[in-house]
C-alpha cells in the first residue's frame, strides 16, 4: 500500500469534557481515519505533537474545538479542522438544557449556531445566543447571561467549565454528529494533501530531469526553484542561488518586464555566455493574482539534437498534393485558358487526360486539380506507369493476396487504387501501360471495383482518376499499342499543356523569375535575384526549350549556384554565365523533333517473373533493415533459399 492509499491519521486535542466525546467517537470512525485523542491544548498540544513526530510517528491532520482549535490552526504545520456545532447536536443540547431551565444561553466560538433562530421548545422558553473569540469574551458572555437570570449555558467544553464555576448548569454543545463530521473533514483534507504532495513530488522529479533549463521566481524576482539543466548552463548550484535575484545571478536572463505586467516573451534567441539559447518567460498567476514567473531556456545543442531527431524520424505524408493551380505561372492566352479549364475540371469527379511534352508540368497540374477539388483533404496517389514491368505494375495498381505469387508479402498488400480511396489517383505515362494490363485497368475504371491478384472478392473504390502522357495516343491506337475503349474512358476531360516554346517570351520571363527566386533562396542568395535576373533574361530569348520548364529549371539552378557564396560586390562575368548556360548560349538552337519512343520489345515471361522476384526480395530486405532472417520470415521461405536467391540477384 502506498502512502497515498493508507488510512488518514488524525490527532484530536481537548482538555475539557469534549475529550470524552472524542474518545467515544474514535472507534466508530475507524473505517474513515485512525483517530488518536490527547488531553492537551494550545502550546502544550503543539509540543507533544512535535515530540511524537520527531520520534517517527505520522499524522495527517489535527482536530480541535473553540479557541484551542483556532490556536492550533494558526501555529501547526499540518492541516487543522476546527469542530463546528451541527444543528442536530445543537437541538439535542437544547432539549437537555430545557429539562434544566426555561432560560437558556448559547455561547459559541466566533459565531452563533445556525438553525436556532426562532426555536422555542415551549412557549415560555427563552433562548439567547452569544458568540465569543477570546476566553475573556467567553467569560464576559457567561457573566452577563447569569446576571440576566439565565440558569443554564450551552457551549463548548471551556464555556461549560466557566458556567459551572459561576454556579450555572452547563450542557456541552458538541455531540457525536459534530465530531464525526469534523473527523470526516480532517480525513478528506489529509487525503487531498497527500494527493497534492504526491503530485508535487512527481512534478519536482520531472522538473529535475528536464533537459530544458527552468527557473521559478517570486514577484521580487528571487529564485524559488532552479533545475539541474539550468544550474549546469549557468555553472551554479541551487543552494548558491536560492533566494537571490535572477538578474543578479544571470543578468541576460532578467525577468523583470514580465513581473511588471508585460506580456509573456516566447522563444527569444539570446546569448548565454559563449553559446546561444532559446528563452521564454511566463508570468505565474493564482486566482488572478500574480505570484511570480517561470523562465525556460533551451540551449542550442539541445535544439540541434531535437531537430536532427525530428528530421530522422519524421517523414512527409506519402500521398499528399504539394502544388496548387495558383502555382501555374504565365499570362499567355494558352496558360490563362489552361488555368480556367483546370479550375472547371476540379469542380467535377470526371476523369481527366493531361497531354503534353515531357517537362511541361503535367503532375503539377494534376496536383493542382486535386487541391482545388472536393477531395483536397483526401489522398493524392501518383504512379509512373513506365517505371514498372507489367507484372509489378499490376501488383502495384491492384494489390495482391497472400500467396498470390512467389515472394508475395505475408498478409497481402493493398494496391494504389485502394490507397487512393476517396481521393485522386494520378496515372502518369498512361501511354506506356502494356496492352495486356489495359484490359484490367479499363474494367476498374468502368466498375469502380478492384480485384486483388489471387482474390475472388472485388473491393469497391471511390477514386477520381487523372491520367497523363507525352505520347500521341491516337497514333498508339492505330499501331495497336493502346486500346481504343480505354482511350475514350480516359479522354473525358482533355487538358493539353503547351510546350514552353509556344507560350511566348513573356511567360518564359515570368517562369524564370519565379524559378530563379526559389533557387537563390535555397542557396541563401536571395539578395542577388534582381541582378541575376537582369543578366539571365537576355540569354533566354530565342531558345526553343526542348526540355520545357524542367530544362529551364535546371539552367536556373546552375545560375543560382554561380551567384551563391560570393561577395555581393563581386561581379559575375559574361564568360562565367555562359559556362553554366551552354545550351542557351546559341540563340539559333532549335527544338528537336519529338521522337516517338520505340515500340516495347516482346515480353519474356520468365524474365518478368525473375524481375518481379528480384524486386520483391530487395524491397523486403530493405524494409527489414537488412535483417535477412526477418525478410525470410516475411517472404515465407527458408533462410537458405533466401541466401541462394540473394546470391543470384547480386550475381
Amino acid at each position: 500500500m502506498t502512502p497515498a492509499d493508507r488510512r488518514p491519521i488524525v490527532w484530536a486535542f481537548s482538555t475539557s469534557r469534549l475529550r470524552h466525546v472524542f474518545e467515544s467517537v474514535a472507534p466508530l470512525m475507524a473505517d474513515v481515519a485512525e483517530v488518536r485523542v490527547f488531553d492537551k491544548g494550545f502550546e502544550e498540544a503543539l509540543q507533544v505533537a512535535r515530540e511524537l513526530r520527531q520520534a517517527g510517528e505520522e499524522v495527517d491532520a489535527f482536530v480541535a474545538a473553540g479557541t484551542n482549535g483556532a490556536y492550533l490552526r494558526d501555529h501547526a504545520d499540518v492541516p487543522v479542522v476546527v469542530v463546528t456545532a451541527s444543528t442536530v447536536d445543537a437541538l439535542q443540547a437544547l432539549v437537555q438544557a430545557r429539562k434544566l431551565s426555561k432560560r437558556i444561553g448559547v455561547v459559541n466560538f466566533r459565531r452563533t449556531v445556525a438553525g436556532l433562530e426562532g426555536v422555542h421548545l415551549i412557549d415560555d422558553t427563552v433562548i439567547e445566543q452569544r458568540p465569543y473569540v477570546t476566553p475573556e469574551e467567553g467569560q464576559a458572555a457567561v457573566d452577563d447571561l447569569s446576571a440576566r437570570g439565565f440558569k443554564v449555558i450551552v457551549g463548548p467544553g471551556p464555556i461549560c467549565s466557566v458556567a459551572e464555576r459561576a454556579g450555572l448548569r452547563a450542557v456541552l454543545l458538541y455531540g457525536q454528529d459534530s465530531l464525526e463530521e469534523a473527523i470526516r473533514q480532517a480525513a478528506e483534507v489529509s487525503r487531498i494533501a497527500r494527493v497534492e504532495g504526491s503530485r508535487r513530488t512527481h512534478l519536482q522529479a520531472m522538473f529535475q530531469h528536464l533537459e530544458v533549463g527552468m527557473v521559478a521566481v517570486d514577484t521580487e524576482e528571487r529564485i524559488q526553484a532552479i533545475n539541474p539543466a539550468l544550474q549546469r548552463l549557468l555553472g551554479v548550484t541551487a543552494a548558491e542561488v536560492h533566494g537571490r535575484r535572477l538578474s543578479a545571478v544571470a543578468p541576460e536572463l532578467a525577468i523583470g518586464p514580465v513581473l511588471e505586467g508585460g506580456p509573456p516573451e516566447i522563444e527569444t534567441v539570446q546569448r548565454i555566455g559563449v553559446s546561444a539559447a532559446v528563452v521564454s518567460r511566463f508570468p505565474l498567476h493564482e486566482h488572478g493574482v500574480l505570484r511570480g514567473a517561470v523562465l525556460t531556456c533551451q540551449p542550442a545543442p539541445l535544439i540541434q539534437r531535437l531537430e536532427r531527431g525530428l528530421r530522422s524520424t519524421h517523414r512527409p505524408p506519402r500521398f499528399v498534393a504539394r502544388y496548387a493551380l495558383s502555382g501555374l505561372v504565365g499570362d499567355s492566352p494558352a496558360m490563362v485558358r489552361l488555368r480556367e479549364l483546370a479550375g472547371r475540371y476540379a469542380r467535377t469527379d470526371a476523369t481527366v487526360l493531361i497531354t503534353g511534352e515531357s517537362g511541361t508540368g503535367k503532375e503539377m497540374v494534376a496536383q493542382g486539380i486535386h487541391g482545388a477539388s472536393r477531395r483536397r483533404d483526401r489522398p493524392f496517389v501518383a504512379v509512373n506507369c513506365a517505371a514498372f514491368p507489367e507484372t509489378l505494375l499490376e501488383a502495384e495498381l491492384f494489390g495482391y493476396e497472400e500467396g498470390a505469387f512467389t515472394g508475395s508479402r505475408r498478409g497481402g498488400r493493398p494496391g494504389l487504387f485502394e490507397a487512393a480511396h476517396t481521393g485522386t489517383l494520378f496515372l502518369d505515362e498512361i501511354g506506356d501501360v502494356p496492352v495486356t494490363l489495359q484490359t484490367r485497368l479499363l474494367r476498374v475504371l468502368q466498375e469502380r471495383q478492384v480485384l486483388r491478384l489471387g482474390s475472388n472478392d472485388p473491393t469497391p473504390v471511390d477514386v477520381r482518376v487523372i491520367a497523363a502522357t507525352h505520347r500521341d495516343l491516337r497514333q498508339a491506337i492505330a499501331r495497336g499499342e493502346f486500346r481504343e475503349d480505354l482511350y475514350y474512358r480516359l479522354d473525358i476531360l482533355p487538358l493539353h499543356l503547351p510546350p514552353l516554346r509556344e507560350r511566348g517570351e513573356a511567360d518564359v520571363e515570368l517562369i524564370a523569375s519565379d524559378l530563379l527566386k526559389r533557387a537563390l533562396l535555397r542557396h541563401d542568395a536571395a539578395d542577388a535575384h534582381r541582378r541575376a535576373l537582369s543578366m539571365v533574361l537576355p540569354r533566354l530569348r530565342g531558345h526553343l526549350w526542348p526540355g520545357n520548364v524542367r530544362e529551364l529549371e535546371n539552367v536556373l539552378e546552375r545560375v543560382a549556384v554561380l551567384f551563391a557564396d560570393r561577395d555581393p560586390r563581386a561581379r559575375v562575368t559574361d564568360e562565367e554565365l555562359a559556362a553554366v548556360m551552354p545550351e542557351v548560349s546559341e540563340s539559333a538552337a532549335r527544338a528537336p523533333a519529338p521522337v516517338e519512343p520505340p515500340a516495347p520489345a516482346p515480353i519474356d515471361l520468365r524474365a518478368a517473373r525473375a524481375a518481379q522476384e528480384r524486386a520483391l526480395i530487395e524491397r523486403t530486405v530493405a524494409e527489414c533493415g537488412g535483417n535477412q532472417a526477418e525478410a525470410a520470415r516475411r517472404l515465407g521461405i527458408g533462410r537458405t533459399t533466401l541466401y541462394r536467391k540473394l546470391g543470384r540477384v547480386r550475381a
Side-chain angles (χ1 to χ4, degrees):
M1 178 183 297
T2 64
D5 296 328
R6 65 168 174 77
R7 275 190 312 160
I9 299 174
V10 177
W11 291 353
F13 295 94
S14 176
T15 58
S16 66
R17 65 181 67 185
L18 182 62
R19 175 173 57 84
H20 302 294
V21 185
F22 270 127
E23 291 173 345
S24 64
V25 169
L28 304 177
M29 302 298 292
D31 60 332
V32 175
E34 180 183 332
V35 182
R36 185 173 177 182
V37 183
F38 295 86
D39 185 12
K40 303 292 181 183
F42 300 95
E43 178 56 37
E44 190 178 4
L46 292 176
Q47 180 63 31
V48 169
R50 279 194 293 269
E51 292 173 356
L52 291 174
R53 293 173 68 190
Q54 288 172 0
E57 297 201 29
E58 293 182 297
V59 63
D60 297 306
F62 294 166
V63 174
T67 53
N68 184 30
Y71 180 88
L72 294 179
R73 185 176 56 192
D74 293 340
H75 296 85
D77 58 357
V78 297
V80 177
V81 174
V82 179
V83 179
T84 302
S86 71
T87 302
V88 172
D89 281 348
L91 291 175
Q92 290 177 348
L94 288 177
V95 170
Q96 294 181 37
R98 177 61 184 82
K99 295 176 182 178
L100 303 175
S101 175
K102 296 180 180 180
R103 294 175 64 80
I104 304 170
V106 180
V107 181
N108 191 30
F109 181 67
R110 287 191 184 276
R111 54 191 171 189
T112 59
V113 181
L116 299 187
E117 297 83 359
V119 174
H120 297 283
L121 302 180
I122 300 177
D123 290 342
D124 58 352
T125 299
V126 177
I127 300 173
E128 185 169 334
Q129 295 200 70
R130 295 289 185 85
Y132 75 96
V133 175
T134 65
E136 292 75 17
E137 290 178 355
Q139 178 73 57
V142 171
D143 292 344
D144 181 63
L145 289 170
S146 176
R148 294 175 54 208
F150 285 85
K151 301 300 183 183
V152 61
I153 301 296
V154 175
I159 294 297
C160 290
S161 299
V162 170
E164 289 174 341
R165 286 196 297 269
L168 304 177
R169 306 294 295 272
V171 176
L172 185 64
L173 178 60
Y174 306 128
Q176 180 175 320
D177 189 71
S178 300
L179 299 193
E180 287 182 353
E181 179 59 28
I183 292 171
R184 287 192 185 92
Q185 290 182 20
E188 180 63 15
V189 166
S190 65
R191 185 192 67 79
I192 294 173
R194 289 203 307 273
V195 170
E196 286 297 317
S198 177
R199 190 166 70 93
R200 282 195 299 271
T201 301
H202 180 66
L203 290 175
Q204 184 68 14
M206 292 175 57
F207 183 73
Q208 294 297 318
H209 290 91
L210 282 175
E211 291 189 75
V212 175
M214 295 185 68
V215 61
V217 301
D218 62 13
T219 54
E220 295 182 352
E221 205 194 24
R222 298 189 183 279
I223 296 173
Q224 303 300 304
I226 180 170
N227 75 337
L230 192 56
Q231 293 175 43
R232 289 191 296 270
L233 185 64
L234 299 180
V236 299
T237 65
E240 291 172 347
V241 299
H242 185 80
R244 294 178 59 191
R245 294 184 185 277
L246 179 61
S247 55
V249 175
E252 62 273 25
L253 297 182
I255 203 169
V258 171
L259 291 172
E260 293 168 3
E265 299 176 9
I266 311 297
E267 296 180 349
T268 59
V269 179
Q270 291 186 224
R271 183 160 294 280
I272 301 175
V274 296
S275 61
V278 176
V279 178
S280 297
R281 298 170 174 85
F282 306 91
L284 287 178
H285 292 90
E286 183 179 336
H287 304 300
V289 178
L290 181 68
R291 297 298 186 188
V294 168
L295 178 143
T296 65
C297 180
Q298 302 179 69
L302 172 61
I303 296 174
Q304 292 164 357
R305 189 171 75 251
L306 292 174
E307 183 185 14
R308 287 195 299 270
L310 284 173
R311 285 202 304 267
S312 64
T313 58
H314 176 69
R315 296 290 183 270
R318 181 182 177 190
F319 301 134
V320 174
R322 297 180 294 117
Y323 299 107
L325 292 177
S326 58
L328 298 175
V329 178
D331 293 332
S332 62
M335 288 305 295
V336 172
R337 175 64 175 165
L338 175 68
R339 284 194 295 268
E340 179 186 350
L341 272 178
R344 192 179 305 167
Y345 290 172
R347 294 192 288 271
T348 77
D349 275 343
T351 302
V352 179
L353 178 61
I354 304 174
T355 57
E357 296 179 7
S358 294
T360 51
K362 295 185 287 296
E363 181 169 355
M364 183 178 180
V365 173
Q367 291 191 22
I369 292 174
H370 171 80
S373 73
R374 67 178 182 85
R375 300 172 182 262
R376 65 179 66 89
D377 296 324
R378 309 306 299 169
F380 176 86
V381 181
V383 57
N384 190 320
C385 299
F388 296 91
E390 178 181 354
T391 50
L392 283 183
L393 180 60
E394 185 176 22
E396 285 290 321
L397 289 176
F398 309 121
Y400 55 84
E401 295 292 339
E402 182 176 344
F405 48 83
T406 303
S408 58
R409 178 186 295 179
R410 182 169 297 178
R413 180 182 179 186
L416 296 180
F417 268 99
E418 292 181 61
H421 180 61
T422 71
T424 300
L425 178 63
F426 176 55
L427 299 172
D428 198 9
E429 302 299 350
I430 189 70
D432 293 298
V433 174
V435 176
T436 52
L437 191 55
Q438 292 175 22
T439 304
R440 286 203 65 184
L441 184 58
L442 174 64
R443 184 166 184 80
V444 174
L445 295 178
Q446 289 175 334
E447 304 297 332
R448 298 294 167 171
Q449 291 183 332
V450 174
L451 190 66
R452 291 187 185 183
L453 297 179
S455 173
N456 295 320
D457 299 319
T459 302
V461 290
D462 172 20
V463 175
R464 199 265 178 90
V465 173
I466 300 177
T469 182
H470 71 283
R471 300 182 65 183
D472 186 332
L473 294 185
R474 291 184 180 276
Q475 291 184 12
I477 292 170
R479 293 194 301 268
E481 297 171 355
F482 201 84
R483 291 181 61 101
E484 188 173 17
D485 49 2
L486 177 59
Y487 171 75
Y488 287 114
R489 174 61 62 180
L490 295 171
D491 194 37
I492 298 174
L493 299 177
L495 196 63
H496 180 71
L497 272 62
L500 192 56
R501 61 183 174 276
E502 294 179 4
R503 292 171 56 178
E505 290 186 352
D507 269 14
V508 172
E509 293 179 1
L510 285 174
I511 297 171
S513 176
D514 182 68
L515 293 178
L516 184 59
K517 180 185 296 183
R518 294 171 185 268
L520 289 168
L521 278 173
R522 287 193 296 271
H523 294 283
D524 295 327
D527 294 342
H529 178 255
R530 180 178 298 181
R531 181 161 44 94
L533 188 63
S534 64
M535 297 183 68
V536 166
L537 286 183
R539 293 179 174 273
L540 302 181
R541 298 183 183 116
H543 188 59
L544 298 183
W545 302 108
N548 292 295
V549 178
R550 186 177 295 122
E551 180 189 0
L552 177 58
E553 185 175 17
N554 293 343
V555 169
L556 295 176
E557 183 72 22
R558 295 197 296 270
V559 172
V561 172
L562 178 64
F563 277 84
D565 300 326
R566 297 178 69 97
D567 187 326
R569 295 168 296 182
R571 181 177 179 275
V572 175
T573 65
D574 291 340
E575 292 76 13
E576 289 177 308
L577 201 58
V580 299
M581 303 174 64
E583 59 268 69
V584 298
S585 59
E586 298 180 6
S587 60
R590 296 183 179 181
V595 178
E596 185 71 18
I603 297 174
D604 183 338
L605 291 179
R606 180 176 298 175
R609 281 196 298 270
Q612 171 191 351
E613 184 176 85
R614 179 171 60 253
L616 283 171
I617 289 174
E618 291 178 341
R619 184 190 308 167
T620 304
V621 172
E623 289 175 352
C624 295
N627 188 329
Q628 296 180 358
E630 175 63 15
R633 188 188 66 77
R634 290 193 186 182
L635 291 169
I637 60 178
R639 272 193 275 184
T640 303
T641 304
L642 178 67
Y643 297 152
R644 176 168 51 80
K645 292 180 180 293
L646 280 175
R648 185 186 306 161
V649 167
R650 290 165 179 163

